[in-house]
């Protein structure tokens, strides 16, 4: 669990510094558009879209940190989820969205699974004195 925390914090720091895993791809796309060049072939590859590129992430999430702001995000794809959360001293406040018209998704089920997982992690961290 500590290894996962450390990796998450490293990736979050990289993203905050503009070095997220997808930033260089966005830069490549924008430079081609700004300079009137053809869009690189990568962006028309079906695997690019399936991996979330071009706004096709199955899980669209947003952390507002330790603020009092609350809101929601819509899923980026019909079969996806929106997951908006903020961290408080005594709780994590979340908002989960899914399209009712999609029978593959279930926001209530994701909420229940997330809540159970958080309780398990709390128990593990408390038991192991992390």
């Amino acid at each position: 669990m500590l290894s996962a925390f450390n990796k998450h914090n490293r990736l979050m720091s990289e993203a905050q510094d503009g070095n997220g895993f997808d930033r260089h791809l966005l830069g490549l796309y924008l430079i081609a558009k700004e300079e009137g060049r053809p869009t690189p072939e990568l962006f028309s590859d079906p695997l690019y879209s399936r991996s979330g590129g071009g706004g096709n992430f199955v899980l669209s999430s947003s952390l507002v940190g330790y603020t009092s702001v609350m809101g929601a995000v819509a899923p980026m794809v019909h079969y996806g989820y929106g997951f908006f959360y903020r961290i408080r001293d005594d709780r994590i406040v979340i908002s989960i969205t899914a399209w009712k018209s999609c029978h593959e998704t279930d926001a209530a089920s994701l909420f229940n699974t997330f809540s159970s997982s958080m309780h398990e992690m709390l128990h593990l961290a408390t038991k192991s004195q992390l």
Side-chain angles (χ1 to χ4, degrees):
M1 195 155 110
L2 285 175
S3 177
F5 288 158
N6 290 335
K7 182 169 184 175
H8 169 79
N9 288 335
R10 181 177 53 78
L11 293 173
M12 184 174 63
S13 178
E14 289 174 3
Q16 289 172 340
D17 292 339
N19 296 316
F21 76 93
D22 60 340
R23 299 296 91 190
H24 62 288
L25 294 175
L26 176 61
L28 178 64
Y29 178 81
L30 292 175
I31 288 170
K33 289 294 182 192
E34 289 174 4
E35 294 185 359
R37 295 174 182 249
T39 303
E41 290 180 28
L42 165 71
F43 298 101
S44 60
D45 188 305
L47 290 178
Y48 175 74
S49 179
R50 287 184 58 200
S51 70
N56 293 295
F57 288 104
V58 174
L59 178 63
S60 174
S61 65
S62 184
L63 164 67
V64 292
Y66 298 89
T67 69
S68 60
V69 174
M70 193 54 202
V73 293
M76 296 180 87
V77 293
H78 183 260
Y79 54 91
Y81 292 96
F83 195 100
F84 192 93
Y85 62 106
R86 66 184 168 118
I87 300 169
R88 305 294 302 211
D89 288 340
D90 60 342
R91 65 190 174 275
I92 297 174
V93 181
I94 63 173
S95 171
I96 298 174
T97 58
W99 298 109
K100 285 185 178 182
S101 58
C102 180
H103 301 292
E104 298 173 32
T105 58
D106 182 347
S109 178
L110 178 56
F111 172 81
N112 290 333
T113 301
F114 175 78
S115 296
S116 294
S117 297
M118 293 305 296
H119 282 101
E120 287 178 30
M121 289 175 65
L122 176 63
H123 177 71
L124 177 63
T126 303
K127 187 176 179 180
S128 63
Q129 300 177 355
L130 292 176

